[in-house]
Amino acid sequence: MISVRHQEKDESKVATIYDVAKLAGVSPKTVSRVLNGDAPVKKQTRDAVDAAMAELGYVPSNAARMMRSNKSGLVGLITGAISHGIEPIEPEGLPDLFIVQGIQHVMGSSGKTLMISDTDGVSDQVPHLIRTFLQHRVEGIIYVADHHKRVTLPKVPDDFPIVLANCFDPEGHPSVLPDDKQGQKDLVAKLIQSGHRRIGYLTLDRTLVATGLRYRGYREALAEADIPYADELVSMGYEEGQERESQILMQALDRLLSLEEPPTVICCGNDEMALRLYGLLRSRGIRVPEDISVAGYDNYRVIAETLFPPLTTVELPYFTMGQIAARHLLALMSEQEEKPELPGLVGSPVCWRSSVTALNTVSVLNSKGRNNQ
């Protein structure tokens, strides 16, 4: 009976770092090094400490470790992805959600705990959320925007790590952004290589940062191919805050089709606009791509891969942007003296599908047919 009572007493005892050290045959300081990762420890020693902790059921005190190391192990993430598009009326991409997934993919293997706060679509919430994170002693913050834009953040300590994803601010915090200009330029250049010279462009709202950048890419591709820019081929197909989106797009399409020399291909500001354009063209008896080619932007696969024909578009690398933002924040949070360079722009590759007809190929085939007659 005495031995049973003694055994029960031992089982109910809370293991300490000294118990782990005794069982592993090392000093308490070595156990501390294993727990905190603040000094090199041989693999054999680390394995012995891990085995001792498992046998004793030792649970480290995060609070105590935080006080000793002055690090919380927490990373704050501000986004609108959770509340964004809960019941979407129209098919659309979820860039902020894909960015968050990329961030989580990196943070999940870093040993850090990601704390996510949602703005509920209200940008005025951001300063409050940042202050709350600072009160909880997070080691760094990532702010994710739903589209490429300029943001304003509250004042934070100069040495506090903050990384912006899909946005930028006047203070010059590190930003991870899509290369919108190069993406549009590469798309138009590939259309030109396929024999298109009359390239229509239905843009998003011109107040958007991405629209201005992509417009520059469109013009640069034309200029490098010695194709004169024609203002009549460019029209806004979507206006921010307008409920009559279909009417705006319809009017823009009518202007393009009424030209003396209509475009052979129409680039759209995003894949959702391209989806609408498919319907408008077919309602007029115009076939895609036999009569006119169509290209989008985003590579939102729910649209691009299910349309018939599948849509040629440009990939917006949201998942990769999230990964880069997370890795950069971890680097800023590290104790290394030399801080990493800004992540900068992330490339947007062209996804070529069958919504675009290669006119130069068609010309070659037609000439071969005539020669055989």
Side-chain angles (χ1 to χ4, degrees):
M1 287 292 294
I2 295 176
S3 60
V4 171
R5 283 198 298 270
H6 178 71
Q7 182 179 358
E8 289 176 351
K9 182 179 179 180
D10 287 343
E11 288 178 351
S12 63
K13 178 184 177 183
V14 177
T16 67
I17 191 173
Y18 299 99
D19 298 322
V20 173
K22 183 177 180 181
L23 183 59
V26 298
S27 68
K29 187 174 182 179
T30 299
V31 176
S32 177
R33 287 174 176 171
V34 172
L35 292 173
N36 296 322
D38 55 3
V41 177
K42 292 181 180 179
K43 183 180 184 303
Q44 183 178 357
T45 303
R46 182 182 296 277
D47 290 344
V49 171
D50 288 340
M53 288 192 293
E55 182 176 338
L56 295 172
Y58 174 74
V59 179
S61 169
N62 285 334
R65 291 173 62 190
M66 183 177 71
M67 291 177 65
R68 287 193 301 270
S69 65
N70 199 32
K71 292 184 178 181
S72 65
L74 303 175
V75 173
L77 172 61
I78 298 174
T79 177
I82 298 173
S83 57
H84 172 70
I86 297 175
E87 296 181 357
I89 299 175
E90 301 291 346
E92 57 182 5
L94 297 173
D96 36 0
L97 179 59
F98 297 142
I99 294 172
V100 170
Q101 290 174 346
I103 293 169
Q104 176 57 43
H105 184 263
V106 172
M107 288 297 176
S109 58
S110 71
K112 304 293 182 182
T113 300
L114 198 61
M115 296 178 65
I116 302 178
S117 286
D118 192 273
T119 62
D120 200 24
V122 181
S123 58
D124 291 345
Q125 287 271 35
V126 175
H128 167 70
L129 295 177
I130 289 180
R131 286 192 294 270
T132 301
F133 275 143
L134 291 175
Q135 291 169 2
H136 282 78
R137 300 184 66 248
V138 297
E139 296 180 38
I141 292 176
I142 301 178
Y143 176 40
V144 177
D146 59 346
H147 65 272
H148 189 163
K149 62 183 178 182
R150 172 174 168 159
V151 297
T152 302
L153 302 181
K155 180 68 177 175
V156 297
D158 293 337
D159 58 348
F160 184 79
I162 290 185
V163 174
L164 308 181
N166 213 25
C167 56
F168 59 96
D169 69 344
E171 285 71 32
H173 285 109
S175 299
V176 182
L177 299 166
D179 197 344
D180 281 296
K181 181 172 77 73
Q182 191 64 44
Q184 190 71 48
K185 182 178 179 179
D186 290 345
L187 172 62
V188 175
K190 193 165 180 62
L191 294 173
I192 294 171
Q193 291 171 9
S194 297
H196 293 273
R197 296 185 66 83
R198 292 286 287 177
I199 302 174
Y201 185 19
L202 298 177
T203 74
L204 297 174
D205 193 305
R206 287 172 183 160
T207 63
L208 298 175
V209 173
T211 300
L213 292 170
R214 294 178 193 174
Y215 176 71
R216 286 170 53 193
Y218 168 84
R219 295 202 60 165
E220 284 185 13
L222 294 176
E224 290 182 8
D226 293 325
I227 298 176
Y229 169 78
D231 194 55
E232 62 185 8
L233 289 173
V234 180
S235 187
M236 193 163 64
Y238 168 83
E239 191 171 352
E240 194 77 15
Q242 295 294 322
E243 297 180 357
R244 52 189 188 93
E245 293 178 19
S246 295
Q247 184 180 353
I248 293 171
L249 182 59
M250 189 182 305
Q251 292 172 347
L253 175 61
D254 287 341
R255 285 192 293 272
L256 290 178
L257 296 180
S258 65
L259 295 174
E260 184 176 342
E261 188 181 355
T264 58
V265 59
I266 298 176
C267 297
C268 297
N270 60 20
D271 294 344
E272 190 270 332
M273 185 190 295
L275 170 63
R276 292 173 181 269
L277 185 63
Y278 267 48
L280 291 175
L281 290 171
R282 284 170 177 163
S283 69
R284 290 162 169 76
I286 300 173
R287 300 170 301 167
V288 178
E290 293 85 354
D291 300 322
I292 193 166
S293 297
V294 175
Y297 207 108
D298 281 355
N299 195 32
Y300 183 42
R301 293 182 179 179
V302 171
I303 295 176
E305 294 181 353
T306 58
L307 277 174
F308 183 79
L311 181 65
T312 291
T313 184
V314 179
E315 173 86 40
L316 273 175
Y318 292 128
F319 187 83
T320 301
M321 288 168 57
Q323 291 179 306
I324 293 174
R327 293 191 190 108
H328 190 69
L329 183 69
L330 289 172
L332 291 176
M333 288 162 44
S334 69
E335 296 179 352
Q336 61 187 38
E337 292 184 6
E338 186 177 347
K339 295 303 179 184
E341 296 181 0
L342 299 180
L345 301 177
V346 182
S348 301
V350 176
C351 302
W352 195 261
R353 300 189 179 98
S354 52
S355 66
V356 175
T357 292
L359 298 184
N360 46 12
T361 302
V362 172
S363 299
V364 170
L365 291 175
N366 287 342
S367 63
K368 286 182 178 179
R370 287 193 297 270
N371 293 334
N372 292 332
Q373 291 178 354

